[in-house]
Amino acid sequence: MSYQTGDLVEMKKPHPCGSNKWEILRIGADFKLRCSACNHLIMISREKFEKSVKRKI
């Protein structure tokens, strides 16, 4: 599956705030994501991202 910056994705596990929807901010060896509910920023590796994404919204 191909991803672009600005895409919304649904992850398998929810964030502690309760939301499991994230916006992609940066793509490369790592992905930078922002939680759509609380605006928390995280960076995860491409491998971990591709395993934990459920679907593209």
Side-chain angles (χ1 to χ4, degrees):
M1 192 173 233
S2 64
Y3 300 100
Q4 307 237 341
T5 57
D7 285 348
L8 285 174
V9 293
E10 184 177 351
M11 304 298 261
K12 291 179 182 174
K13 293 178 87 179
H15 188 245
C17 73
S19 174
N20 61 351
K21 293 180 178 65
W22 296 82
E23 179 185 0
I24 300 173
L25 300 177
R26 187 175 84 77
I27 299 173
D30 295 325
F31 278 71
K32 187 172 188 177
L33 306 172
R34 177 174 45 213
C35 179
S36 62
C38 67
N39 293 327
H40 183 80
L41 296 174
I42 62 165
M43 298 242 338
I44 61 173
S45 68
R46 177 178 289 273
E47 182 180 339
K48 187 170 181 177
F49 173 80
E50 289 175 351
K51 285 182 180 179
S52 61
V53 73
K54 192 173 188 178
R55 67 184 174 110
K56 192 160 109 174
I57 300 172

